[in-house]
Coordinates of all heavy atoms in Angstrom, one line a residue:
R118 N 15.2 21.5 -32.1 CA 15.8 22.5 -33.0 C 17.2 22.7 -32.7 O 17.6 23.1 -31.5 CB 15.0 23.8 -32.9 CG 15.5 24.9 -33.8 CD 14.7 26.1 -33.8 NE 14.8 26.8 -32.5 CZ 15.6 27.8 -32.3 NH1 16.5 28.2 -33.2 NH2 15.7 28.4 -31.2
Q119 N 18.1 22.4 -33.6 CA 19.6 22.5 -33.4 C 20.0 24.0 -33.6 O 19.6 24.7 -34.6 CB 20.5 21.7 -34.3 CG 20.3 20.2 -33.9 CD 21.3 19.3 -34.8 OE1 21.8 19.8 -35.7 NE2 21.5 18.1 -34.3
V120 N 20.8 24.5 -32.7 CA 21.4 25.9 -32.8 C 22.9 25.7 -32.5 O 23.3 24.8 -31.7 CB 20.7 26.9 -31.9 CG1 19.3 27.1 -32.2 CG2 20.9 26.4 -30.4
E121 N 23.7 26.5 -33.0 CA 25.1 26.5 -32.8 C 25.6 27.7 -32.0 O 25.2 28.8 -32.3 CB 25.9 26.4 -34.1 CG 25.6 25.1 -34.9 CD 26.4 24.9 -36.1 OE1 27.0 26.1 -36.6 OE2 26.6 23.9 -36.7
I122 N 26.3 27.5 -31.0 CA 26.9 28.6 -30.2 C 28.5 28.5 -30.2 O 28.9 27.3 -30.2 CB 26.3 28.7 -28.7 CG1 26.7 27.3 -28.0 CG2 24.8 28.8 -28.8 CD1 26.3 27.3 -26.5
P123 N 29.2 29.5 -30.1 CA 30.6 29.5 -30.2 C 31.1 29.1 -28.9 O 30.7 29.4 -27.8 CB 31.0 31.0 -30.4 CG 29.9 31.8 -30.1 CD 28.7 31.0 -30.2
K124 N 32.3 28.3 -28.9 CA 33.0 27.8 -27.7 C 34.2 28.8 -27.5 O 34.6 29.6 -28.5 CB 33.5 26.4 -27.9 CG 32.3 25.5 -28.0 CD 32.8 24.1 -28.4 CE 33.6 23.3 -27.4 NZ 33.8 21.9 -27.8
K125 N 34.9 28.6 -26.4 CA 36.0 29.5 -26.2 C 37.2 29.2 -27.2 O 38.0 30.1 -27.3 CB 36.4 29.3 -24.7 CG 35.6 29.8 -23.7 CD 36.0 29.6 -22.3 CE 35.0 30.1 -21.3 NZ 35.5 30.0 -19.9
N126 N 37.2 28.0 -27.6 CA 38.3 27.6 -28.5 C 38.1 28.0 -29.9 O 38.8 27.8 -30.9 CB 38.7 26.2 -28.4 CG 37.5 25.3 -28.7 OD1 36.5 25.8 -29.3 ND2 37.7 24.0 -28.5
G127 N 37.0 28.7 -30.2 CA 36.6 29.1 -31.6 C 35.8 28.2 -32.3 O 35.3 28.5 -33.4
K128 N 35.7 27.0 -31.8 CA 34.7 25.9 -32.4 C 33.3 26.3 -32.1 O 33.0 27.1 -31.2 CB 35.2 24.5 -32.0 CG 36.6 24.1 -32.5 CD 36.9 22.7 -32.2 CE 38.4 22.3 -32.6 NZ 38.6 20.9 -32.2
M129 N 32.4 25.5 -32.7 CA 30.9 25.7 -32.4 C 30.4 24.5 -31.5 O 30.8 23.4 -31.9 CB 30.3 25.8 -33.7 CG 30.7 26.9 -34.6 SD 30.6 28.5 -33.8 CE 28.8 28.8 -33.8
R130 N 29.5 24.7 -30.7 CA 28.8 23.8 -29.9 C 27.4 23.7 -30.4 O 26.8 24.7 -30.5 CB 28.9 24.1 -28.5 CG 28.2 23.0 -27.6 CD 28.0 23.4 -26.1 NE 29.3 23.9 -25.5 CZ 30.2 23.1 -25.0 NH1 29.9 21.8 -24.9 NH2 31.2 23.7 -24.4
T131 N 26.9 22.4 -30.7 CA 25.5 22.3 -31.2 C 24.6 22.0 -30.0 O 24.8 20.9 -29.2 CB 25.5 21.2 -32.2 OG1 26.3 21.4 -33.3 CG2 24.1 21.0 -32.7
L132 N 23.6 22.8 -29.8 CA 22.6 22.5 -28.8 C 21.3 22.1 -29.5 O 21.0 22.5 -30.6 CB 22.3 23.7 -28.0 CG 23.5 24.4 -27.2 CD1 22.9 25.6 -26.4 CD2 24.0 23.4 -26.2
G133 N 20.6 21.2 -28.8 CA 19.3 20.7 -29.3 C 18.2 21.3 -28.4 O 18.1 21.0 -27.2
I134 N 17.3 22.2 -28.9 CA 16.3 22.8 -28.2 C 14.9 22.1 -28.4 O 14.4 22.2 -29.5 CB 16.2 24.4 -28.6 CG1 17.6 25.0 -28.5 CG2 15.3 25.1 -27.6 CD1 18.3 25.0 -27.1
P135 N 14.4 21.5 -27.4 CA 13.1 20.9 -27.5 C 11.9 22.0 -27.5 O 12.2 23.1 -27.1 CB 12.9 20.0 -26.2 CG 14.4 20.0 -25.6 CD 15.0 21.2 -26.0
T136 N 10.8 21.6 -27.9 CA 9.7 22.5 -27.8 C 9.3 22.7 -26.2 O 9.8 21.9 -25.4 CB 8.4 21.8 -28.4 OG1 8.0 20.6 -27.7 CG2 8.7 21.5 -29.9
M137 N 8.7 23.7 -25.9 CA 8.3 24.1 -24.6 C 7.6 22.9 -23.9 O 7.8 22.7 -22.7 CB 7.6 25.4 -24.5 CG 7.4 26.0 -23.2 SD 9.1 26.6 -22.5 CE 9.4 28.0 -23.5
Y138 N 6.5 22.4 -24.6 CA 5.8 21.3 -24.0 C 6.7 20.1 -23.7 O 6.6 19.5 -22.7 CB 4.7 20.9 -25.0 CG 3.9 19.6 -24.6 CD1 3.1 19.7 -23.5 CD2 4.1 18.4 -25.2 CE1 2.4 18.6 -23.0 CE2 3.4 17.3 -24.8 CZ 2.6 17.3 -23.7 OH 1.9 16.2 -23.3
D139 N 7.6 19.7 -24.7 CA 8.5 18.6 -24.4 C 9.4 18.9 -23.2 O 9.7 18.0 -22.5 CB 9.3 18.3 -25.7 CG 8.5 17.5 -26.7 OD1 7.4 17.3 -26.4 OD2 9.1 17.3 -27.8
R140 N 9.8 20.2 -23.1 CA 10.7 20.6 -22.0 C 9.9 20.3 -20.6 O 10.5 19.8 -19.6 CB 11.1 22.0 -22.1 CG 12.3 22.3 -22.9 CD 12.7 23.7 -23.0 NE 12.2 24.3 -24.2 CZ 12.4 25.5 -24.6 NH1 12.9 26.4 -23.8 NH2 12.0 26.0 -25.7
A141 N 8.6 20.6 -20.6 CA 7.9 20.5 -19.4 C 7.7 19.0 -19.1 O 7.8 18.5 -18.0 CB 6.5 21.1 -19.5
C142 N 7.5 18.1 -20.2 CA 7.5 16.6 -20.0 C 8.8 16.1 -19.5 O 8.8 15.3 -18.6 CB 7.1 16.0 -21.2 SG 5.4 16.3 -21.9
Q143 N 9.9 16.6 -20.0 CA 11.2 16.3 -19.5 C 11.5 16.7 -18.1 O 12.1 15.9 -17.3 CB 12.3 16.9 -20.3 CG 12.4 16.2 -21.8 CD 13.6 16.8 -22.5 OE1 14.7 17.1 -22.0 NE2 13.5 16.8 -23.9
A144 N 10.9 17.8 -17.7 CA 11.1 18.3 -16.3 C 10.4 17.4 -15.4 O 10.7 17.2 -14.2 CB 10.6 19.8 -16.3
L145 N 9.1 16.9 -15.8 CA 8.4 16.1 -15.0 C 9.1 14.7 -14.8 O 9.1 14.2 -13.7 CB 7.0 15.9 -15.6 CG 6.0 14.9 -14.8 CD1 5.7 15.5 -13.4 CD2 4.7 14.7 -15.7
M146 N 9.6 14.2 -15.9 CA 10.3 13.1 -15.8 C 11.6 13.1 -14.8 O 11.9 12.2 -14.0 CB 10.9 12.6 -17.2 CG 11.5 11.3 -17.3 SD 12.4 10.9 -18.9 CE 10.8 10.8 -19.9
K147 N 12.2 14.3 -14.9 CA 13.4 14.5 -14.0 C 13.0 14.6 -12.7 O 13.7 14.1 -11.7 CB 14.1 15.8 -14.4 CG 15.3 16.2 -13.6 CD 15.8 17.5 -14.1 CE 17.1 17.9 -13.3 NZ 17.7 19.2 -13.6
I148 N 11.9 15.2 -12.2 CA 11.4 15.2 -10.9 C 11.4 13.8 -10.2 O 11.7 13.6 -9.1 CB 10.0 15.9 -10.8 CG1 10.2 17.4 -11.1 CG2 9.4 15.6 -9.4 CD1 8.9 18.2 -11.2
G149 N 10.9 12.8 -11.0 CA 10.9 11.5 -10.5 C 12.1 10.7 -10.5 O 12.4 9.8 -9.7
L150 N 13.1 11.0 -11.5 CA 14.3 10.2 -11.7 C 15.4 10.7 -10.7 O 16.3 10.0 -10.3 CB 14.7 10.3 -13.1 CG 14.2 9.2 -14.1 CD1 14.7 9.4 -15.4 CD2 14.6 7.8 -13.6
E151 N 15.3 12.1 -10.5 CA 16.5 12.6 -9.8 C 16.6 12.0 -8.4 O 17.8 11.7 -8.0 CB 16.3 14.2 -9.6 CG 17.6 14.8 -9.2 CD 17.5 16.3 -9.5 OE1 16.6 17.0 -8.9 OE2 18.3 16.8 -10.3
P152 N 15.7 11.7 -7.5 CA 15.9 11.2 -6.3 C 16.4 9.7 -6.4 O 17.1 9.2 -5.5 CB 14.5 11.2 -5.6 CG 13.5 11.4 -6.7 CD 14.2 12.2 -7.7
C153 N 16.1 9.0 -7.5 CA 16.6 7.6 -7.6 C 18.1 7.7 -8.0 O 18.8 6.9 -7.4 CB 15.9 7.0 -8.8 SG 14.1 6.8 -8.7
Y154 N 18.5 8.7 -8.8 CA 19.9 8.8 -9.1 C 20.8 9.4 -7.9 O 21.8 8.8 -7.5 CB 20.1 9.8 -10.2 CG 21.5 10.2 -10.3 CD1 22.5 9.4 -10.9 CD2 22.1 11.5 -9.9 CE1 23.8 9.7 -11.1 CE2 23.3 11.8 -10.1 CZ 24.2 10.9 -10.7 OH 25.6 11.3 -10.7
E155 N 20.1 10.3 -7.1 CA 20.8 10.8 -6.0 C 21.0 9.8 -4.8 O 22.1 9.9 -4.1 CB 20.1 12.1 -5.4 CG 20.2 13.3 -6.2 CD 21.5 13.8 -6.3 OE1 22.3 13.8 -5.4 OE2 21.9 14.2 -7.5
A156 N 20.2 8.8 -4.7 CA 20.3 7.7 -3.8 C 21.4 6.8 -4.1 O 21.9 6.1 -3.3 CB 19.0 7.0 -3.6
N157 N 21.8 6.7 -5.4 CA 22.9 5.8 -5.9 C 24.1 6.6 -6.4 O 25.1 5.9 -6.8 CB 22.3 5.0 -7.1 CG 21.4 3.9 -6.6 OD1 21.8 2.8 -6.3 ND2 20.2 4.1 -6.6
A158 N 24.1 7.9 -6.4 CA 25.2 8.6 -7.0 C 26.5 8.4 -6.2 O 26.4 8.2 -5.0 CB 24.8 10.1 -7.1
E159 N 27.7 8.4 -6.9 CA 28.9 8.2 -6.3 C 29.3 9.5 -5.6 O 29.0 10.6 -6.0 CB 29.9 7.8 -7.3 CG 29.6 6.4 -7.9 CD 30.5 5.9 -9.0 OE1 30.6 6.8 -10.0 OE2 31.1 4.8 -9.0
N160 N 30.2 9.4 -4.5 CA 30.4 10.5 -3.7 C 31.2 11.6 -4.4 O 30.9 12.8 -4.1 CB 31.3 10.0 -2.6 CG 30.6 9.1 -1.6 OD1 29.4 9.2 -1.5 ND2 31.3 8.2 -0.9
N161 N 32.0 11.3 -5.4 CA 32.8 12.4 -6.0 C 32.3 12.8 -7.4 O 33.2 13.1 -8.2 CB 34.3 12.0 -6.0 CG 34.9 11.9 -4.7 OD1 34.9 12.8 -3.9 ND2 35.5 10.8 -4.3
S162 N 31.0 12.7 -7.6 CA 30.4 13.2 -8.8 C 29.7 14.6 -8.5 O 28.9 14.6 -7.6 CB 29.5 12.1 -9.3 OG 28.7 12.6 -10.5
Y163 N 30.1 15.6 -9.3 CA 29.6 16.9 -8.9 C 28.8 17.6 -10.1 O 28.2 18.6 -9.7 CB 30.9 17.7 -8.5 CG 31.5 17.3 -7.3 CD1 32.6 16.4 -7.4 CD2 31.1 17.8 -6.0 CE1 33.2 16.0 -6.2 CE2 31.7 17.3 -4.9 CZ 32.8 16.5 -4.9 OH 33.4 16.0 -3.8
G164 N 28.9 17.1 -11.2 CA 28.1 17.8 -12.3 C 26.6 17.7 -12.3 O 26.1 16.6 -12.2
Y165 N 26.0 18.8 -12.4 CA 24.5 18.9 -12.6 C 23.7 18.2 -11.5 O 22.8 17.5 -11.7 CB 24.1 18.4 -14.0 CG 24.9 18.9 -15.1 CD1 25.7 18.1 -15.9 CD2 24.8 20.2 -15.4 CE1 26.4 18.6 -17.0 CE2 25.5 20.8 -16.5 CZ 26.3 19.9 -17.3 OH 27.0 20.5 -18.3
R166 N 24.2 18.4 -10.2 CA 23.5 17.8 -9.2 C 23.1 18.8 -8.2 O 23.7 19.9 -8.0 CB 24.5 16.7 -8.5 CG 24.8 15.6 -9.3 CD 25.7 14.6 -8.5 NE 25.0 14.1 -7.2 CZ 25.7 13.4 -6.3 NH1 26.9 13.1 -6.4 NH2 25.0 13.0 -5.3
P167 N 22.0 18.5 -7.4 CA 21.5 19.6 -6.4 C 22.6 19.8 -5.4 O 23.2 18.9 -4.9 CB 20.3 18.8 -5.8 CG 19.8 17.9 -6.8 CD 21.1 17.4 -7.5
C168 N 22.7 21.1 -5.0 CA 23.6 21.5 -4.0 C 25.1 21.2 -4.2 O 25.8 21.1 -3.3 CB 23.1 20.9 -2.6 SG 21.5 21.3 -2.2
R169 N 25.4 21.0 -5.5 CA 26.8 20.8 -5.8 C 27.2 21.6 -7.1 O 26.3 22.0 -7.8 CB 27.0 19.3 -6.2 CG 26.9 18.3 -5.0 CD 27.5 16.9 -5.3 NE 27.5 16.1 -4.1 CZ 28.3 15.1 -3.8 NH1 29.2 14.9 -4.7 NH2 28.3 14.4 -2.7
S170 N 28.4 22.0 -7.1 CA 28.9 22.9 -8.2 C 30.4 22.5 -8.6 O 31.0 21.7 -8.0 CB 28.9 24.3 -7.7 OG 29.8 24.5 -6.7
A171 N 30.8 23.3 -9.6 CA 32.1 23.1 -10.1 C 33.2 23.5 -9.0 O 34.2 23.0 -8.9 CB 32.4 23.9 -11.4
H172 N 32.7 24.5 -8.1 CA 33.6 24.9 -7.1 C 33.9 23.8 -6.1 O 34.9 23.7 -5.6 CB 33.0 26.0 -6.4 CG 32.9 27.3 -7.2 ND1 34.0 28.0 -7.6 CD2 31.8 28.0 -7.7 CE1 33.7 29.0 -8.4 NE2 32.4 29.0 -8.5
D173 N 32.8 22.9 -5.8 CA 33.0 21.8 -5.0 C 33.9 20.8 -5.5 O 34.8 20.2 -4.8 CB 31.6 21.2 -4.7 CG 30.6 22.1 -3.9 OD1 31.1 22.8 -3.0 OD2 29.5 22.1 -4.4
A174 N 33.9 20.6 -6.8 CA 34.7 19.6 -7.4 C 36.2 20.2 -7.4 O 37.2 19.4 -7.1 CB 34.4 19.4 -8.9
I175 N 36.4 21.4 -7.6 CA 37.8 22.1 -7.5 C 38.3 22.0 -6.1 O 39.5 21.7 -5.9 CB 37.7 23.5 -7.9 CG1 37.4 23.6 -9.4 CG2 39.0 24.3 -7.7 CD1 37.0 24.9 -9.9
E176 N 37.4 22.1 -5.1 CA 37.9 22.0 -3.7 C 38.4 20.6 -3.5 O 39.3 20.4 -2.7 CB 36.8 22.5 -2.8 CG 37.2 22.4 -1.3 CD 36.0 22.8 -0.4 OE1 34.8 23.0 -0.9 OE2 36.2 22.9 0.7
Q177 N 37.5 19.6 -4.0 CA 37.9 18.3 -3.7 C 39.3 17.9 -4.2 O 40.1 17.2 -3.7 CB 36.9 17.3 -4.3 CG 37.0 15.9 -3.9 CD 37.0 15.6 -2.4 OE1 36.2 16.2 -1.6 NE2 37.9 14.6 -2.0
I178 N 39.5 18.4 -5.5 CA 40.8 18.1 -6.1 C 42.0 18.8 -5.3 O 43.0 18.3 -5.2 CB 40.8 18.7 -7.6 CG1 39.8 17.9 -8.4 CG2 42.2 18.6 -8.2 CD1 39.6 18.6 -9.8
F179 N 41.7 20.0 -4.9 CA 42.7 20.8 -4.1 C 43.1 19.9 -2.8 O 44.3 19.8 -2.4 CB 42.2 22.1 -3.7 CG 43.1 22.9 -2.7 CD1 44.3 23.4 -3.1 CD2 42.7 23.0 -1.4 CE1 45.1 24.1 -2.2 CE2 43.5 23.7 -0.5 CZ 44.7 24.2 -0.9
L180 N 42.0 19.4 -2.1 CA 42.3 18.7 -0.8 C 43.0 17.4 -1.1 O 43.7 17.0 -0.2 CB 40.9 18.4 -0.2 CG 40.1 19.5 0.4 CD1 38.7 19.0 0.8 CD2 40.8 20.2 1.5
A181 N 42.8 16.8 -2.3 CA 43.5 15.6 -2.7 C 45.0 15.8 -2.9 O 45.8 14.9 -2.7 CB 42.8 14.9 -3.9
I182 N 45.4 17.0 -3.4 CA 46.9 17.2 -3.7 C 47.6 18.1 -2.8 O 48.8 18.0 -2.9 CB 46.9 17.8 -5.2 CG1 46.3 19.2 -5.2 CG2 46.2 16.8 -6.2 CD1 46.5 19.9 -6.6
K183 N 46.9 18.7 -1.9 CA 47.7 19.7 -1.1 C 48.7 19.2 -0.1 O 49.7 19.9 0.3 CB 46.6 20.6 -0.4 CG 46.0 20.0 0.8 CD 45.2 21.0 1.6 CE 44.6 20.3 2.8 NZ 43.9 21.3 3.7
N184 N 48.4 17.9 0.4 CA 49.3 17.4 1.5 C 50.4 16.5 0.9 O 51.0 15.7 1.7 CB 48.5 16.7 2.5 CG 47.5 17.6 3.2 OD1 47.9 18.7 3.5 ND2 46.2 17.1 3.5
S185 N 50.6 16.5 -0.4 CA 51.7 15.6 -0.9 C 52.5 16.4 -1.9 O 51.9 17.1 -2.7 CB 51.0 14.3 -1.6 OG 52.0 13.6 -2.1
K186 N 53.8 16.2 -1.9 CA 54.7 16.8 -2.9 C 54.6 16.1 -4.2 O 54.7 16.8 -5.3 CB 56.1 16.7 -2.4 CG 56.4 17.5 -1.1 CD 57.8 17.4 -0.7 CE 58.0 18.2 0.6 NZ 59.6 18.2 1.0
D187 N 54.4 14.9 -4.3 CA 54.4 14.2 -5.6 C 53.0 13.6 -5.8 O 52.6 12.6 -5.1 CB 55.4 13.0 -5.6 CG 56.8 13.6 -5.4 OD1 57.1 14.6 -6.2 OD2 57.6 13.0 -4.6
K188 N 52.4 14.1 -6.8 CA 51.0 13.5 -7.2 C 51.0 13.5 -8.7 O 51.4 14.5 -9.4 CB 49.9 14.4 -6.7 CG 49.6 14.3 -5.2 CD 48.9 13.2 -4.9 CE 48.5 13.2 -3.4 NZ 47.7 12.0 -3.0
W189 N 50.5 12.4 -9.2 CA 50.3 12.3 -10.7 C 48.8 12.5 -11.0 O 48.0 11.8 -10.3 CB 50.8 11.0 -11.2 CG 52.3 11.0 -11.3 CD1 53.2 10.6 -10.4 CD2 53.1 11.4 -12.4 NE1 54.5 10.8 -10.7 CE2 54.5 11.2 -12.1 CE3 52.7 11.9 -13.8 CZ2 55.5 11.5 -12.9 CZ3 53.8 12.1 -14.5 CH2 55.1 12.0 -14.2

Side-chain angles (χ1 to χ4, degrees):
R118 180 174 70 91
Q119 288 189 347
V120 297
E121 294 184 343
I122 60 173
K124 299 169 66 173
K125 292 181 179 179
N126 60 7
K128 297 182 179 180
M129 303 299 290
R130 183 192 305 276
T131 301
L132 299 183
I134 310 299
T136 65
M137 193 66 72
Y138 173 71
D139 281 0
R140 273 178 261 179
C142 294
Q143 289 186 30
L145 180 62
M146 186 188 294
K147 182 180 178 182
I148 287 172
L150 270 180
E151 195 164 61
C153 299
Y154 170 73
E155 287 299 318
N157 282 274
E159 295 176 307
N160 291 333
N161 291 310
S162 175
Y163 293 91
Y165 309 116
R166 294 183 59 189
C168 304
R169 293 194 173 206
S170 68
H172 295 290
D173 297 317
I175 293 169
E176 181 181 8
Q177 185 61 36
I178 295 170
F179 172 75
L180 292 173
I182 65 176
K183 74 171 185 176
N184 294 324
S185 177
K186 294 182 179 179
D187 297 316
K188 287 282 187 180
W189 285 89

